[in-house]
Amino acid sequence: MKKSIVAFLLAFTVSIISYSQVTFTGKVVDRNNVPLPGASVVVKGSINGVATDFDGNFEIELPDGGEILVISYIGYIAQDFDTSGKSTATIVLQEDSQQLDEVVVTALNITRDEESLGYSVQKVGGEEISQSTSTNTVSTLSGRTAGVQVVTNGTGPGQSSSVVIRGYSSMQGDNQPLFIVDGIPINNTTDTRTNTLGGASNMDLDYGNGAAEINPDDVESISVLKGANATALYGSRAANGAVIITTKSGRGRKGGVSFSSKTTFESVLKAPEYQGVYG
């Protein structure tokens, strides 16, 4: 009788120990030690999980002290963390260069989750831009962004292109958006001049536009900011919207060489047509 009671008490004690819970606290940050609010922290193989607060802190109950936590965040590589022998820790997540399609670059080159924005932003990836046959970066936006009108003055090499977002807002002046390349504003004013001879116009000279100097193959992404809320940080210069261009970098790459070329053929073996009616 005594042996059966002792065996029951031992089994009851073991069951209490096996179902005891341990509180684990931690903090989720990026490689620059910036807290990641809203990161998901889940016990591996279960539905037990929490989200980090505004400062990146979290607290979760574990069945015992040897559980694996899975930490994930949009734009970062998910990480497994072993809590064995630990009651608290700071977990550093690494950026995932393959997850760039889920985020957009907003004003002042800040990367944000597209679904969290309260204004209209549209992104064009670098692969779409590279596939375009145009050598003018501005012309590659044609047909790829809603509400964006691309006006090209010609089809030859070096012809200028201008952009109008959501229609013309002024009868005078420039209706083009502000162009930002890696955080630096550039001038995309088109320069088209008319040469006159004898009082009659006989030649239009097109000197191109500023953004045409950017190689489309060097562009990683283009974000088009529409509306006053999206461009408020740039002031009156971005009254017509803003085009944020982010160029490629070597971050997260293992090396290699890429090659691309575009060739245009034009007929030059014909005499120009001159008009002799006016002059």
Side-chain angles (χ1 to χ4, degrees), residues 136 138-139 150-153 159-163 176 188 190 208-209:
N136 193 326
V138 176
S139 300
V150 179
V151 181
T152 303
N153 293 329
Q159 299 297 322
S160 62
S161 295
S162 59
V163 177
Q176 288 200 76
N188 191 52
T190 57
N209 57 292

Side-chain angles (χ1 to χ4, degrees), residues 145-198:
T145 50
V148 176
Q149 179 184 2
V150 179
V151 181
T152 303
N153 293 329
T155 57
Q159 299 297 322
S160 62
S161 295
S162 59
V163 177
V164 177
I165 300 177
R166 291 180 174 176
Y168 292 87
S169 59
S170 174
M171 296 296 293
Q172 296 180 346
D174 192 1
N175 287 275
Q176 288 200 76
L178 177 66
F179 278 74
I180 308 292
V181 181
D182 292 333
I184 301 176
I186 66 171
N187 185 6
N188 191 52
T189 303
T190 57
D191 188 356
T192 304
R193 308 175 189 177
T194 300
N195 183 28
T196 59
L197 179 62

